[in-house]
Amino acid sequence: MNAPSDLRVEHRAVPIGVTVPAPRVSWRLPDGAREQRAYRIRGDAGGRAWDTGWVETDRSLFRPHGGPAPVSREPVRLAVRVRTDLGVSDWSAPLSWETGLLAPTDWSASWIGPAEAEVPPPGFRPAYHLRTTFTVTGPVARARVYATAHGLYELFLGGERVGDAELAPGLTAYRTRLHVQAHDVTGHLRPGEAVFGATLSDGWYRGRTSYHRLPDGFGDRTALLAQLHIDYADGTTAVAGTGPGWRSAAGAVQGADFFDGVEADLRDDLTGWTRPGVPPGEWAPVVVRPPVAARLVSSPAPQVRRVQELLPVSVTRTRPGRHIVDFGQNLGGWVRLANLGPRGTELRLTHAEALRPDGDVDTTGATATLRWYDPPRGIQGDRVVSAGAAGDVFEPRHTRHGFRYLRIDGHPGRLGPDDVTAVAVSSDLPRTGWFRCSDERVNRLHEIAFWTYRNQECDVPTAEIARETSGWTDWGFNVRGARLLHDVSGLSVKWLADLAADQWPDGTVRNYAPDPLGPGSRDARFAIPHGQAGWGDSAVSVPWEIWRAYGDEELLARQYPSMTAWVERVVRVARENRHPARRAARPEPAPHEEFLWDTGYHFGEHLEPGPPKPLVTLGRRNLAEITDLDEFTAAVVEEMSARDHAVFATAYFQRSARLLARIAAVLGRDDDARRYRRLAADVRAAWQAEFIRPDGTLTEPTQATHLRALAFDLVPEALRGFTATRLATLIRDAGTRPGTGLPSTHLLLPTLAATGHLGLAYELLFQRGTPSWLSVPERGGTTFWETWDGIGADGSTRLALNLPTRASVVEFLHGTVAGIRLNRRIPAYRRFTVAPRPGGGITWAEARYESPYGTIEVAWRIERERFSVDVTVPPGTTADIVLPDGTRAEAGPGTHGFPCPTASIED
């Protein structure tokens, strides 16, 4: 095909409602092209044509579209042609998008809320219906609706639900920016009377959120803003929107919350409320809410949608009135339940990630962290009362649960596999990565990782799915693996904007973004301190990783103030504070100590296997003995703050300073680049002075510390081999088992492979029992666990059963087994490395990755004492090939084969 392809605007393929002031476009080069030399864009924006002429550049990602400044609701259409080493291409197929409402004055609709005299108690807050009627005066040529909410909303128009987005408008830093969804509703409108309506519930806005489980984080009143624009065939236009003429009523959903679940009495369903005529129920005028200060913008992330449906593996009637359903896969979402029983039947649904040894559902994971209240419908519970009507279905679309198993209590008959369906609900991210090999155990690990990441990605990178609803900043540890399987660029760009919006003036990065508790987060009940090493450093590491994978330089510029604020905050904390133990041991500080980050509350190497660390502040008192929750939280904060985390925190301090120097260089901020390089060197020297003994050993003999020393380049070059050998010894001493927690597990296998211990990395990959990766499928897990022993040999569970730390095994599978790796300096796979390193008895492996420039494919095989690999290189890119025997080659676009003898392959 002699034309550019895969045109996209910003981080989306076919957007509508774009509010970006200067949209950028990207494309893939024609097949076989080695390099772009120039491009030309011609387009039309609402009748305003443009042609950029030839733009001399080799860049094809995130290029200015070259057209006029955008106008609200304007259709934009453009095509691209390129000049490459093959000559001048044909014009591409056109790319079309539409702008949204760009200015506050474009909104004539008002914020409205339901007629709610008092705020009901959490867990008993209905999902309200809101509606108005209007007249469609003639044939409709084009119609668009723009909507957002304080809470979750679903729109209805012409008697039908609008769009397929779920949990809209998503979780954002509501105080600063709100995401507006735009929908093409042309097909919903016919001449005559029509109903414009919505269902509105608490969602993230005023529902229970985060580990606090506190309601009303962003506000205590829900609200809706929606505006419909109709362009008639005769050239006239009309606008209808939310305002004082709307009315509201509570319907069948009597309670809706992420933690408390959904309660619905279908006998109270207001049947027909979305159609013209007098609706059933008691309707009252809505309350007009004041305008909001937050900016109304489009989201760079794909919508949350139903991404897959799963039928039960089994439905078991364990006793009269009780069924246990196994869907065979742990997922984030909800169930759709039919066959609700006779009128008045009350069904109680309990979702769980595992079963107890006695066969009942196990909700341990959902209660593993702080819970100071009893959910009205039980843990991860929903409740529905049947109306007895044929065809009734219960689908709680205003919550999200984490589950593989479902217990249904109260049904008088028998339920079968056709009566219940699991609906996986996540951000609808394009898949980018696939992997297969000769060992089915490894293939199973890859599939488990795929589900773990997909469950996590729900508008924000939610660390786990059964007990949290917040975007924890451990995304910095997980983004590398996640982006191998999905295009997480838009999701990450959106989340980083939330992180920056909620960052404190002193540069502190909160533990999760957005932060529902806002300014009260510091002093809220059960609060733990923010600004922790590793977690907070995601302000720097995530933009860097997104730039490396997708080449969005503008993201680095946009996040630069957030990054520098974080690093400068750490500079101050390190310079102005000393740990009491260090002060006592060395009253006069050594010069390097101003670069040691040794104070504050830190998770540290969270959930590191092994015996508990000695308590610093509590003496012989066990935390588990403290039953009062306030006292327990205060004790945990006191204990963790008293520990000396310098070997951990200073390592991340150095890494962020080093990355920030690189980012400054990319942005052309040369003075900053020099300053942060000096800072990184000073912090590195301080770490070495404090934590490397004269004999070259590290003061903290843990796998994690040795991993960071190697992966973050903390040890001198002369000690790298010695440190890697010490790491291998520590692993052997642990029974050839991993000893890493949440922050460093993703470093383990790649670092071993990169430092001369490939065979040990494969041994760990294939290790059985606990701790190991294979213990997950061996014990029935379908997603990776929060701890290495998430499911015990006896079937008991511990903490969450969906957390992406161990899913990072895909970094080893893609980057070492298949060998596809990013170039250290050139982003977005424009130049990349293919260096497969077979081992572990694997005789063949295949991987595919959808890079921004095109499809990369690697397939290698060992046959008859010969290793051979086929590599497909996308147009406009170059692959550096490194064969297992050390042979090197360079490959341009196309498919190439490379052989070598197996005798030299390390295993």
Side-chain angles (χ1 to χ4, degrees), residues 249-267:
V253 177
Q254 300 171 346
D257 187 274
F258 281 113
F259 279 117
D260 295 333
V262 166
E263 178 160 353
D265 190 334
L266 300 187
R267 295 171 299 183

Side-chain angles (χ1 to χ4, degrees), residues 44-45 114 241 355 363 498 512 527 562 584 691 718 779 794 807 811 845 878:
D44 181 274
L355 295 180
T363 58
D498 294 328
Y512 32 78
S562 169
F691 305 117
R779 294 183 179 176
D794 61 354
E811 295 183 45
T878 302

Side-chain angles (χ1 to χ4, degrees), residues 3 30 80 153 192 205 285 340 413 455 500 561 587 673 681 704 712 766 779 784 815 896:
V80 178
Y153 76 88
Y205 186 79
L340 302 179
N455 290 341
F712 295 178
F766 286 108
R779 294 183 179 176
F784 284 106
H896 314 271

Side-chain angles (χ1 to χ4, degrees), residues 521-657:
S521 183
R522 190 194 307 265
D523 302 315
R525 192 182 183 199
F526 313 132
I528 58 176
H530 295 270
Q532 300 187 40
W535 277 256
D537 290 280
S538 62
V540 179
S541 62
V542 173
W544 173 252
E545 293 297 337
I546 296 303
W547 175 76
R548 291 189 71 217
Y550 304 103
D552 186 356
E553 192 171 304
E554 186 177 290
L555 171 66
L556 296 181
R558 196 161 55 244
Q559 294 298 131
Y560 194 74
S562 169
M563 296 185 239
T564 54
W566 166 254
V567 172
E568 295 297 342
R569 180 255 188 192
V570 177
V571 168
R572 292 192 302 273
V573 171
R575 183 179 62 240
E576 297 171 3
N577 299 278
R578 292 184 75 204
H579 193 274
R582 189 164 282 104
R583 189 184 304 117
R586 194 162 54 212
E588 185 65 28
H592 70 261
E593 286 192 43
E594 68 170 295
F595 301 107
L596 288 180
W597 186 10
D598 61 356
T599 58
Y601 181 107
H602 301 283
F603 288 130
E605 189 62 23
H606 190 50
L607 298 179
E608 185 176 23
K613 294 182 182 294
L615 295 176
V616 177
T617 63
L618 302 180
R620 296 183 178 180
R621 191 176 186 192
N622 193 326
L623 284 171
E625 298 172 354
I626 304 175
T627 57
D628 180 81
L629 291 176
D630 291 285
E631 184 182 356
F632 174 81
T633 307
V636 169
V637 171
E638 178 186 3
E639 170 62 27
M640 296 300 289
S641 299
R643 293 181 181 177
D644 183 354
H645 294 278
V647 69
F648 176 89
T650 306
Y652 283 97
F653 182 13
Q654 183 268 353
R655 181 173 184 259
S656 286

Side-chain angles (χ1 to χ4, degrees), residues 19-282:
T19 63
V20 177
R24 302 164 298 163
V25 295
S26 304
W27 55 86
R28 293 180 175 180
L29 299 185
D31 290 345
R34 295 185 66 89
E35 64 174 347
Q36 175 183 288
R37 295 170 180 170
Y39 71 82
R40 182 180 174 187
I41 300 175
R42 68 182 183 189
D44 181 274
R48 299 177 294 159
W50 81 89
D51 189 326
T52 64
W54 286 105
V55 179
E56 304 289 333
T57 180
D58 60 358
R59 296 192 176 191
S60 57
L61 302 180
F62 301 106
R63 306 308 301 155
H65 77 296
V71 174
S72 290
R73 300 190 58 244
E74 187 172 59
V76 180
R77 183 181 173 92
L78 62 78
V80 178
R81 76 188 313 179
V82 293
R83 188 166 66 236
T84 72
D85 56 293
L86 301 178
V88 177
S89 76
D90 296 332
W91 286 100
S92 70
L95 168 68
S96 298
W97 78 85
E98 288 183 15
T99 56
L101 302 181
L102 303 181
T105 54
D106 292 328
W107 288 91
S108 58
S110 302
W111 282 91
I112 61 172
E116 189 179 59
E118 296 181 356
V119 178
F124 300 94
R125 296 171 174 176
Y128 293 96
H129 299 315
L130 302 92
R131 62 167 260 162
T132 192
T133 59
F134 65 99
T135 301
V136 180
T137 60
V140 175
R142 183 178 77 142
R144 303 289 187 265
V145 63
Y146 309 91
T148 188
H150 285 168
L152 301 182
Y153 76 88
E154 297 174 314
L155 289 182
F156 297 87
L157 193 60
E160 298 175 331
R161 188 180 174 205
V162 173
D164 59 359
E166 303 292 350
L167 307 180
L171 174 56
T172 61
Y174 280 97
R175 301 172 189 88
T176 306
R177 42 199 278 281
L178 276 169
H179 286 154
V180 174
Q181 286 74 45
H183 302 277
D184 180 353
V185 292
T186 308
H188 288 256
L189 300 177
R190 300 288 184 274
E193 186 179 16
V195 172
F196 188 9
T199 300
L200 181 67
S201 68
D202 283 15
W204 287 283
Y205 186 79
R206 75 168 185 179
R208 297 191 194 273
T209 55
S210 185
Y211 88 97
H212 293 276
R213 289 154 171 77
L214 297 176
D216 306 324
F218 291 105
D220 62 1
R221 297 286 184 171
T222 56
L224 173 73
L225 179 70
Q227 189 162 298
L228 170 66
H229 289 252
I230 304 173
D231 298 326
Y232 288 108
D234 64 4
T236 61
T237 63
V239 178
T242 48
W246 285 55
R247 300 177 71 80
S248 71
V253 177
Q254 300 171 346
D257 187 274
F258 281 113
F259 279 117
D260 295 333
V262 166
E263 178 160 353
D265 190 334
L266 300 187
R267 295 171 299 183
D268 296 331
D269 187 33
L270 305 182
T271 304
W273 74 271
T274 62
R275 295 190 291 271
V278 178
E282 299 180 3

Side-chain angles (χ1 to χ4, degrees), residues 700-721:
E700 185 167 324
T702 67
Q703 293 183 31
T705 298
H706 284 71
L707 274 171
R708 272 185 288 275
L710 293 164
F712 295 178
D713 193 29
L714 288 164
V715 293
E717 184 64 31
L719 287 178
R720 284 188 64 81

